[in-house]
Amino acid sequence: MFIAQAFKFKHDLWRYIIGVIIVIAGVFIGQIPLTVALFMEIGVEEAVTLTEGQMMTALDSNYFLFLMLLSFAVALVFLFVAVKNVHKQTLVSLTTSREKIDWGRFWFAFGLVSIFIVLTTIGDYYSNPQDYQWNFDLIPFLILFVIAVVMVPLQTSFEEYFFRAYLMQGIGVLSRNRWLPLIITSVVFGGLHFFNPEVTKLGNIIMIYYIGTGFMLGIMALMDEGIELSLGFHAANNLLTALLVTADWTAFQTNSIFKDISEPSAGWDVLIPVLIIYPLFLFIMAKKYKWTDWKGKLFGKVEKPEPVHNDDFIY
């Protein structure tokens, strides 16, 4: 069982508190290069008063994207250091309940989401051409492509390993149930997006989408007993979004192929993914990987495994 694997390693509450502190320190250290770049570009007094949206326009978009994603990459390293040194836990056990990481699951989710995003983007472009502006510029796009392919998976991997793995396992072994880590990690994950520019533009209703995304990824991890699917899903979603479509009011303002110039509004666009598209993704994955016992895996108890006795040895 994915959560119960944490029992095999050092799982005291104080260790998780130290681990979270280490990760937060990694985030702040990772933000130093971006802060320094802003200070050098526009000065300290001006930089400290900028909103996130203004920061995006203060630097070249590719340069800003790289520096922004760098903080997640550094935080990922700090998280792995905490897992190895504070908990004495292996990366495989943090990732999956299987004997080794199933990259086939990662690529299935990545491909499924990629196909969906490409088809829906093309469909919307031809249905509403007035909402799009051709934004393609070869050299900036190629630079964006390299940055995105390398750095976006590090950003999404940090979020999945921290929320769907580290905190999911930690809260699960401490609370001895599955529903509490699902709720806490999903709400906190969605809540941290409250400071995104999209919230300012669309209003608080967009938080339904972010928190709903957290629940969908959490359900994926619990039902599949590992985070390979959520790793692939999240990586594809953010990568394709960065490469295909940008807008002046999104967290990723990039040299993408298209630019959305429509006036955004939050309504059914927020509810459709949560109520229709996400359940469809879960249905497809459930059929492919033969998920069963939904009640037990989402709401059941987390039992500490009994030691295995073999002659004079106890495992």
Side-chain angles (χ1 to χ4, degrees), residues 118-169:
V118 170
L119 291 179
T120 53
T121 299
I122 292 175
D124 193 52
Y125 173 74
Y126 282 103
S127 300
N128 304 286
Q130 72 280 358
D131 292 342
Y132 293 88
Q133 176 179 301
W134 185 254
N135 194 54
F136 182 76
D137 190 352
L138 180 60
I139 300 303
F141 178 80
L142 290 177
I143 297 172
L144 165 66
F145 183 84
V146 173
I147 293 173
V149 168
V150 173
M151 301 299 290
V152 168
L154 294 177
Q155 175 243 330
T156 56
S157 293
F158 165 70
E159 294 183 355
E160 291 309 305
Y161 271 107
F162 185 57
F163 289 101
R164 253 65 65 181
Y166 186 69
L167 293 182
M168 186 80 79
Q169 287 185 344

Side-chain angles (χ1 to χ4, degrees), residues 3-275:
I3 290 180
Q5 289 197 128
F7 281 119
K8 302 176 184 178
F9 308 95
K10 298 183 183 299
H11 56 276
D12 311 88
L13 173 60
W14 66 266
R15 295 180 186 275
Y16 281 100
I17 293 174
I18 290 177
V20 171
I21 292 173
I22 290 173
V23 171
I24 293 174
V27 172
F28 280 106
I29 292 173
Q31 290 176 342
I32 291 176
L34 175 58
T35 304
V36 171
L38 288 169
F39 286 172
M40 293 178 63
E41 181 69 22
I42 62 177
V44 176
E45 293 184 3
E46 289 78 4
V48 296
T49 62
L50 292 180
T51 64
E52 183 176 353
Q54 292 170 328
M55 289 181 188
M56 295 177 189
T57 59
L59 301 172
D60 172 76
S61 63
N62 282 332
Y63 186 37
F64 177 85
L65 181 67
F66 172 78
L67 294 176
M68 181 184 71
L69 296 176
L70 181 62
S71 65
F72 293 95
V74 173
L76 181 63
V77 173
F78 274 62
L79 173 60
F80 287 164
V81 168
V83 169
K84 180 179 180 180
N85 294 282
V86 178
H87 299 275
K88 309 300 181 183
Q89 185 173 356
T90 63
L91 179 60
V92 172
S93 67
L94 185 69
T95 308
T96 183
S97 60
R98 289 164 275 276
E99 292 185 1
K100 60 181 181 180
I101 298 173
D102 187 347
W103 290 107
R105 278 172 153 82
F106 173 91
W107 289 113
F108 173 77
F110 187 95
L112 180 66
V113 175
S114 297
I115 291 171
F116 174 80
I117 291 177
V118 170
L119 291 179
T120 53
T121 299
I122 292 175
D124 193 52
Y125 173 74
Y126 282 103
S127 300
N128 304 286
Q130 72 280 358
D131 292 342
Y132 293 88
Q133 176 179 301
W134 185 254
N135 194 54
F136 182 76
D137 190 352
L138 180 60
I139 300 303
F141 178 80
L142 290 177
I143 297 172
L144 165 66
F145 183 84
V146 173
I147 293 173
V149 168
V150 173
M151 301 299 290
V152 168
L154 294 177
Q155 175 243 330
T156 56
S157 293
F158 165 70
E159 294 183 355
E160 291 309 305
Y161 271 107
F162 185 57
F163 289 101
R164 253 65 65 181
Y166 186 69
L167 293 182
M168 186 80 79
Q169 287 185 344
I171 298 170
V173 298
L174 293 171
S175 66
R176 301 296 182 95
N177 65 58
R178 289 169 163 255
W179 60 267
L180 187 62
L182 174 61
I183 293 174
I184 292 178
T185 58
S186 301
V187 173
V188 174
F189 170 80
L192 290 177
H193 290 78
F194 181 77
F195 301 101
N196 280 18
E198 293 93 333
V199 179
T200 302
K201 186 69 175 180
L202 299 175
N204 293 339
I205 191 174
I206 191 67
M207 296 305 297
I208 295 175
Y209 168 77
Y210 289 128
I211 295 175
T213 301
F215 272 101
M216 188 266 303
L217 294 169
I219 292 170
M220 239 183 248
L222 290 178
M223 291 304 304
D224 202 53
E225 298 290 359
I227 65 169
E228 295 100 329
L229 291 174
S230 62
L231 281 169
F233 187 102
H234 203 161
N237 181 78
N238 287 27
L239 179 61
L240 270 293
T241 299
L243 294 176
L244 288 181
V245 183
T246 189
D248 291 335
W249 44 271
T250 60
F252 277 2
Q253 294 185 23
T254 65
N255 292 292
S256 58
I257 296 175
F258 298 109
K259 183 175 183 179
D260 186 345
I261 57 175
S262 64
E263 183 60 31
S265 61
W268 285 106
D269 292 345
V270 173
L271 298 178
I272 287 176
V274 176
L275 299 179

